[in-house]
Amino acid sequence: MTTDFEMQAFKTNGSDAVGRSLTTGNGANHAYRCRDEGSVLLSAQRNGHSGETMPSGCVTAEAFAGSKESAAHKVKRELSEAVCGKVRLWMLLVLLPVVIVAVVLISLGVCSAIHEDTDEKFNRSSFRVARLFNGSFSLPGLTFTEDLLSLSSNQSRALTGDLQGKLSDVYRSSPALGRYFSKAEIYALRPGSVIAEYQLTFVMPEEHQEQLRSFTLSREMVYNVLRQFLYDQEGRGASPSSALYIDPVSLKLS
Amino acid sequence: MWLASIMFPWQFLTFLLALSADMCKAKECADFVDLELAHAIIGTTLKIRLLLFTRDTIHCGSFLSHVNFSADPHFNLSRPTTFVIHGYRPTGSPPVWAHQITELLLARKDMNVILVDWNHGAANVNYFKAVENTHQAGENLTGFLKLMKEHGASLSDIHMIGVSLGAHISGFVGANFNGAIGRITALDPAGPQFTGTPPEDRLDPTDAQFVDALHTDIDAFGYRGALGHIDFYANGGTDQPGCPKTIFSGTAYFKCDHQRSVYLYCESLNLTCTSRAFPCSSFKDFQDGKCTSCEQFGDAGCPVLGYDIDKWKHVLLKLGQSKNYFVTNEKAPFCMVNYKLDVVVWNEEDHWGYITVKLHGNGTDAVAKIDHRATQFKKFTETKLFAQFDTDLQAVTKMSLMFSTGNVFKPKYKLRVLRIRLTHLERYDRPLCRYDLVLEESKEVSFAPLPCQESNF
């Protein structure tokens, strides 16, 4: 009942001023009804259903009849009193919590949007100190040929290029090591099926060097990031007979 | 024709059943006295009945005379004897677990199991009256044990298992023999009227050569402090998982925690699985993973809850009183599997949150939630967590991790992990590791763990 009343009043309110100023007979009609009605309750009901707002003169007239007013009606009337111009008290009361909730939600949204992940920020140009690792691994899927002895041969170049690409991809995509990774180089190929010797170059900032050396850029991390990549490959069904298969057990790093 | 062949074994079985029922009737099996609530309201006076069960009479006990042993040919004093003593019976009903524990004990060892039925005396709405009766029950049983000793029984071969008030009765009997009895096991020893009393008025470690206690309801009917050589606290000894949390569940609300001690002990008897308990100063420290070391126990490892704790007897007697903690599942099998989880992160800012670990292997899953409180993860610092899984997996092929903070409005954090290491605390398996992970909040990350290699950080 009450919400119904509010909704209707809200809808008609805007057009009300226009309607009243256009038709002159409208205001007179109100005045007549107010004078005529003895029962306050009836007038409240009719007011609610018609949704029409009464001219200010009518409100004062009703206030005189207040001795018989019920408490509910009194509250209803007070709520529809004008606070400022066309803004009614109930409108303010409804609007206030809506505004508060909106402000909270917007600020939370803004906070999440502008939240910066400090771990994603780094200045690569400040990484000047190099850190090198050497190691080897074997490729059981290949057979060693004379051509592989020299790194300048076409066969060697193709193989080292592929392997370097593979190592670079692993380290570049690593969340922890990617930003420090500089390059991967295959510097020798030996028989034993084929054993490749490699060097990894990382660069790191001058500050916090010791911590980086013993944690993020420790031998354990650099070694295991590659090791777990090789094991994962095995889990995905990489066959030991394929050309670029690296045996995880053969992996060495120092 | 095939119908008949199926029907035959059934007919045979029912015949056998009827026959065995007849035999039982003929011998008149002795059983617990079943009292009505009315008896408990009026109050009962103490009357102790001893029911003897042996391997020959597992399902059909016999009354044992307090004075004339020769009347029962099954009572062989060269065998060890175990007494099972129940506690307060506010409704007068016989304990539901009485036959279960008897059968399990006899399955373990050839012995005399004596169910001490003091339902007349324990059935009383007035708890204080039942407490009073414990002293007299203790004197009564002392007399019986003296007679057993005179007939050649060894006190060292006597084990008394006391539930609630029964634990203190065992203590009174033990005190009368100056602690010469072999072992007393207290299953959630009663707290009200015993808490704060001097050792002679309750069970204490001097009452037997070895006293082990299990606490499951220290915040209501149980005894909070330590009163044995070893005291086990299941889930901290307070609220047991799977027990009702509101009074709307009826009587289970009152007795579930208290009774859980018996079911945990029964599980240790039937050897389905083992619950390791870790010595610790408090349950909080235990949950925080501060008490995962079992070195003081040597190769045996940390004590296992229940019947087989006497294997640790000598080392425990040397250590003095020790409080041991463990956690359980909601229902049987109650045992959980303990792992240590070490995490090293490289986040600049500290993050707080909870970790859920799932292990997969051989088609089964095991889950551990580390959520008793938010854990702090600090850059380049090893965070030690204690993970308890609901089931044991022999081989772990896949593992899932989830980091959550419980924040709804805050931005989604990412936990950047250098290394996680999962170590089984009971088997000496090689720990499992995974390196270089990013755990986005509330997102599960799955991977295949690999055996750890030597670690330097």
Side-chain angles (χ1 to χ4, degrees):
Chain A
M1 171 67 201
T2 44
T3 47
D4 188 28
F5 159 70
E6 279 171 5
M7 287 297 283
Q8 282 195 8
F10 187 69
K11 271 187 209 154
T12 50
N13 229 332
S15 60
D16 204 44
V18 186
R20 220 185 304 150
S21 62
L22 283 177
T23 55
T24 42
N26 210 354
N29 191 17
H30 273 286
Y32 168 77
R33 201 198 287 164
C34 279
R35 235 183 297 118
D36 206 41
E37 274 161 8
S39 159
V40 181
L41 204 72
L42 196 70
S43 99
Q45 268 179 351
R46 210 180 285 176
N47 255 330
H49 283 297
S50 69
E52 282 173 332
T53 44
M54 287 182 284
S56 53
C58 188
V59 176
T60 38
E62 258 189 53
F64 281 112
S67 53
K68 280 189 236 161
E69 261 181 349
S70 71
H73 180 240
K74 202 170 163 188
V75 169
K76 234 182 231 175
R77 192 175 46 76
E78 275 173 6
L79 279 175
S80 53
E81 251 171 47
V83 176
C84 172
K86 290 283 139 203
V87 183
R88 309 280 155 182
L89 185 61
W90 65 263
M91 290 165 75
L92 269 187
L93 289 178
V94 171
L95 213 61
L96 213 66
V98 171
V99 168
I100 291 171
V101 169
V103 167
V104 168
L105 286 179
I106 289 167
S107 56
L108 280 172
V110 169
C111 261
S112 297
I114 63 164
H115 165 75
E116 277 185 351
D117 199 335
T118 48
D119 301 311
E120 272 160 22
K121 283 197 303 183
F122 59 91
N123 180 8
R124 180 75 201 225
S125 61
S126 69
F127 295 177
R128 293 210 185 85
V129 186
R131 181 154 165 78
L132 303 176
F133 294 95
N134 290 307
S136 67
F137 51 77
S138 79
L139 302 142
L142 290 179
T143 38
F144 195 79
T145 55
E146 289 292 312
D147 283 351
L148 292 175
L149 274 175
S150 149
L151 282 177
S152 53
S153 72
N154 280 344
Q155 211 192 337
S156 294
R157 249 187 243 161
L159 180 60
T160 53
D162 284 349
L163 291 174
Q164 278 164 182
K166 196 169 180 174
L167 290 182
S168 302
D169 284 348
V170 171
Y171 285 108
R172 242 178 234 129
S173 61
S174 151
L177 301 177
R179 67 190 58 177
Y180 304 109
F181 179 72
S182 171
K183 65 172 189 217
E185 198 188 350
I186 305 290
Y187 63 88
L189 295 168
R190 287 192 280 119
S193 285
V194 175
I195 295 175
E197 301 199 3
Y198 63 94
Q199 183 173 63
L200 303 171
T201 312
F202 292 87
V203 284
M204 53 185 178
E206 279 173 16
E207 64 268 21
H208 312 306
Q209 240 189 77
E210 277 318 300
Q211 273 202 323
L212 278 173
R213 269 178 208 277
S214 48
F215 289 96
T216 311
L217 288 174
S218 63
R219 192 208 82 90
E220 190 188 348
M221 273 310 284
V222 175
Y223 172 64
N224 280 302
V225 165
L226 185 55
R227 181 171 161 246
Q228 90 183 5
F229 169 79
L230 297 179
Y231 273 112
D232 282 357
Q233 227 176 16
E234 204 154 79
R236 279 193 293 269
S239 136
S241 56
S242 65
L244 282 180
Y245 174 82
I246 299 172
D247 181 13
V249 181
S250 71
L251 185 68
K252 289 189 179 70
L253 184 89
S254 56
Chain B
M1 186 60 204
W2 60 273
L3 194 75
S5 63
I6 288 176
M7 291 295 282
F8 168 71
W10 284 112
Q11 282 173 336
F12 184 66
L13 277 177
T14 38
F15 171 69
L16 266 186
L17 206 71
L19 190 76
S20 58
D22 272 353
M23 278 165 70
C24 261
K25 225 185 272 166
K27 269 174 66 189
E28 272 188 22
C29 297
D31 210 349
F32 242 87
V33 61
D34 190 358
L35 298 177
E36 301 296 319
L37 187 61
H39 291 102
I41 293 168
I42 302 162
T44 48
T45 48
L46 185 68
K47 192 168 114 194
I48 292 183
R49 300 155 86 233
L50 302 172
L51 312 176
L52 174 72
F53 294 85
T54 61
R55 281 193 166 174
D56 302 325
T57 60
I58 289 185
H59 301 292
C60 185
S62 51
F63 282 117
L64 206 54
S65 158
H66 283 58
V67 283
N68 184 10
F69 292 169
S70 54
D72 197 320
H74 296 295
F75 193 40
N76 182 350
L77 285 173
S78 62
R79 282 194 293 241
T81 302
T82 300
F83 289 84
V84 179
I85 312 169
H86 66 84
Y88 181 46
R89 310 294 318 160
T91 62
S93 60
V96 287
W97 41 261
H99 291 288
Q100 189 189 353
I101 199 166
T102 311
E103 283 164 27
L104 289 169
L105 282 166
L106 288 170
R108 270 304 194 87
K109 219 193 253 177
D110 186 16
M111 57 167 121
N112 308 306
V113 176
I114 298 179
L115 272 180
V116 179
D117 172 6
W118 65 290
N119 213 352
H120 281 286
N124 200 321
V125 282
N126 183 359
Y127 175 73
F128 303 103
K129 258 283 182 272
V131 171
E132 257 177 57
N133 285 335
T134 57
H135 293 271
Q136 213 191 317
E139 291 308 316
N140 190 312
L141 285 173
T142 306
F144 182 77
L145 258 70
K146 272 187 185 146
L147 210 64
M148 275 178 72
K149 199 182 160 194
E150 279 166 24
H151 282 75
S154 155
L155 287 178
S156 305
D157 285 339
I158 287 176
H159 180 185
M160 305 187 87
I161 301 173
V163 183
S164 188
L165 287 179
H168 296 294
I169 295 180
S170 311
F172 299 145
V173 176
N176 286 336
F177 291 99
N178 297 317
I181 287 176
R183 179 177 170 191
I184 290 177
T185 297
L187 301 181
D188 209 30
Q193 290 300 103
F194 293 95
T195 306
T197 53
E200 58 268 25
D201 290 337
R202 57 168 171 85
L203 175 67
D204 71 292
T206 63
D207 291 339
Q209 293 173 28
F210 184 60
V211 179
D212 58 311
L214 167 61
H215 303 263
T216 55
D217 194 21
I218 60 173
D219 53 351
F221 300 129
Y223 188 90
R224 184 172 291 269
L227 35 64
H229 292 106
I230 183 165
D231 283 73
F232 294 99
Y233 291 85
N235 305 296
T238 53
D239 298 323
Q240 301 303 315
C243 280
K245 292 193 163 46
T246 59
I247 199 160
F248 302 112
S249 315
T251 51
Y253 173 72
F254 296 103
K255 62 183 183 191
C256 181
D257 287 344
H258 200 40
Q259 211 170 49
R260 181 63 63 84
S261 61
V262 182
Y263 294 127
L264 292 176
Y265 198 77
C266 282
E267 193 174 278
S268 84
L269 276 168
N270 74 13
L271 294 169
T272 35
C273 57
T274 52
S275 280
R276 292 262 172 192
F278 298 81
C280 206
S281 54
S282 75
F283 186 51
K284 197 183 153 293
D285 283 357
F286 163 81
Q287 285 181 305
D288 289 345
K290 289 180 185 163
C291 305
T292 54
S293 162
C294 298
E295 279 159 19
Q296 51 188 319
F297 300 103
D299 288 340
C302 273
V304 166
L305 167 82
Y307 190 68
D308 297 305
I309 185 62
D310 49 357
K311 282 182 197 152
W312 281 263
K313 182 177 161 181
H314 295 290
V315 59
L316 285 168
L317 289 177
K318 252 182 270 164
L319 289 170
Q321 284 188 294
S322 112
K323 285 185 171 187
N324 284 247
Y325 293 87
F326 68 104
V327 286
T328 71
N329 285 318
E330 286 187 359
K331 50 183 196 287
F334 292 107
C335 321
M336 295 195 101
V337 186
N338 303 293
Y339 277 90
K340 194 170 71 169
L341 182 74
D342 304 308
V343 184
V344 184
V345 300
W346 58 275
N347 291 83
E348 284 300 329
E349 290 169 358
D350 292 1
H351 285 331
W352 295 81
Y354 316 96
I355 297 276
T356 307
V357 194
K358 278 186 202 158
L359 303 179
H360 314 268
N362 296 339
T364 43
D365 292 353
V367 187
K369 287 191 178 116
I370 308 163
D371 58 356
H372 64 284
R373 68 181 182 95
T375 311
Q376 183 186 24
F377 297 94
K378 198 173 153 69
K379 187 184 181 185
F380 296 157
T381 308
E382 190 165 64
T383 307
K384 291 181 200 302
L385 298 165
F386 195 24
Q388 281 107 2
F389 291 89
D390 48 357
T391 47
D392 196 8
L393 296 184
Q394 293 301 317
V396 178
T397 51
K398 215 180 91 183
M399 189 172 160
S400 313
L401 276 181
M402 193 168 82
F403 170 68
S404 51
T405 59
N407 290 328
V408 182
F409 295 118
K410 281 196 180 164
K412 296 272 176 226
Y413 289 122
K414 283 178 183 166
L415 196 65
R416 291 156 207 275
V417 180
L418 281 182
R419 183 192 67 206
I420 57 133
R421 188 175 51 206
L422 189 72
T423 318
H424 198 293
L425 284 175
E426 286 159 56
R427 286 200 301 265
Y428 295 100
D429 294 356
R430 202 151 161 210
L432 295 173
C433 276
R434 186 75 192 185
Y435 302 83
D436 199 17
L437 282 167
V438 177
L439 300 177
E440 198 175 334
E441 200 184 319
S442 305
K443 268 198 190 145
E444 197 174 84
V445 179
S446 298
F447 47 81
L450 47 159
C452 301
Q453 293 214 327
E454 95 280 21
S455 10
N456 304 311
F457 62 86

